[in-house]
Amino acid sequence: QVRLVESGGGLVQPGESLRLSCAVSGDDFSEKNMAWYRRDSGQRRELVATISTTGRLKNYADSVKGRIAISRDNAKNTVYLQMDSLKSEDTAVYYCNYLPHVDSWGQGTQVTVSS
């Protein structure tokens, strides 16, 4: 069973930046497409960004396009989410998972954007 450990969240003001990290267990990380998801206070889960196995193909939700960048380091079994120009509506718990996701989720990392 995969183990996913997210980190890097915090409380920031609008316009500031955060970099999220997700460490993924297992020997097949480089063979998995990965994604970041988020769940807001209304418990809606949104697919935020996706990245292919090599990192060449990336896709973003319209709500974050131009402000967020996904990347990965296959040598470190880690996927990242660079978040710039944060807005209050980005407030959520952020999770990484495979794409498509599996039922095993990490604890997530809370991002709160507030003045």
Side-chain angles (χ1 to χ4, degrees), residues 38 46-50 58-70 81-87 89-90 94:
R38 66 186 180 186
E46 178 184 14
L47 176 61
V48 175
T50 69
K58 304 174 184 180
N59 284 288
Y60 301 95
D62 288 342
S63 57
V64 303
K65 200 170 292 183
R67 301 186 295 115
I68 287 180
I70 189 171
L81 191 69
Q82 177 66 42
M83 308 172 68
D84 299 319
S85 302
L86 282 162
K87 303 177 179 180
E89 50 263 45
D90 295 318
Y94 286 73

Side-chain angles (χ1 to χ4, degrees), residues 28-42:
D28 59 352
F29 175 76
S30 64
E31 301 170 8
K32 300 293 188 181
N33 295 317
M34 296 297 299
W36 281 94
Y37 304 79
R38 66 186 180 186
R39 189 183 295 274
D40 63 17
S41 58

